Amino acid sequence: MVAVLVAAVGIAGAILASPAFTIAGNALSDLGQPGNPVATPVTTLLFDGGLVLAGVVGLPFAVVLWRRSETRLGQAAVVPFTIALLGMVGVGLFPAGRALHVPAALTLYLASMVAMGLDGIGDVLSGQRRRGAGTCSLVAVHVAGWWWWAASGPVLRPGLVIPELLGAGIFAAWVLLTALGQAPGWPES
């Protein structure tokens, strides 16, 4: 839960500290890109540093995922979860414009969806149908958000922050709900 807080504070703080950042005009990574008009030394520290710190602090949560899962499929979610956090660290270490930035961002978003999907299917297989359905619904919304964005124009265009925040928010919500032992959206009956 601390990792989610660190990432949220870093991203929100960078947005608030930026002199020119807009939802309609920017990508989140603009905040951490030295030389970008929306970035300052403060925004780059908050955004890039926040992602690196959140990724590192979040890695021990893989143990929670392993322990709470009742199926091998659910336990397999640990691998893409860990890869997603390494992607998050990569986004912070390789600001926009560097060769490894886009692969790191893709790794974060795609691996987070796979982790949530495996966890959700694992829950369904273990009899926790509502929890699994809630998690799979989150994945569906995440995928739909990116699909809508990609279908409505070039992926790398002004306003990329919209699907980025949706995906980051869904991943954060899933982590928090899982950490608290709650089903995403529905209590178990």
Side-chain angles (χ1 to χ4, degrees):
M1 294 188 327
V2 171
V4 171
L5 179 64
V6 168
V9 167
I11 292 168
I15 289 171
L16 293 172
S18 173
F21 185 86
T22 66
I23 298 294
N26 293 105
L28 282 177
S29 295
D30 293 346
L31 295 163
Q33 182 181 17
N36 189 300
V38 303
T40 67
V42 171
T43 67
T44 57
L45 176 64
L46 287 169
F47 184 77
D48 294 337
L51 291 181
V52 171
L53 183 59
V56 171
V57 169
L59 285 173
F61 187 65
V63 175
V64 173
L65 287 176
W66 180 271
R67 289 183 179 161
R68 75 166 279 284
S69 181
E70 297 177 19
T71 66
R72 292 283 183 215
L73 190 60
Q75 290 173 337
V78 169
V79 174
F81 173 79
T82 302
I83 291 169
L85 291 187
L86 294 175
M88 181 185 299
V89 169
V91 170
L93 291 177
F94 306 106
R98 292 197 182 168
L100 293 177
H101 180 77
V102 171
L106 288 172
T107 297
L108 166 59
Y109 287 111
L110 293 173
S112 69
M113 287 186 260
V114 171
M116 291 185 297
L118 290 174
D119 182 64
I121 294 168
D123 283 343
V124 169
L125 294 175
S126 71
Q128 299 177 64
R129 289 183 183 91
R130 288 184 183 181
R131 179 187 303 251
T135 299
C136 290
S137 295
L138 290 175
V139 175
V141 170
H142 193 170
V143 170
W146 281 106
W147 179 84
W148 167 80
W149 182 257
S152 61
V155 173
L156 298 177
R157 67 179 190 269
L160 183 60
V161 69
I162 296 166
E164 290 177 321
L165 283 176
L166 175 68
I170 287 172
F171 187 45
W174 172 74
V175 168
L176 289 175
L177 291 167
T178 302
L180 294 170
Q182 303 296 313
W186 299 281
E188 281 303 314
S189 56

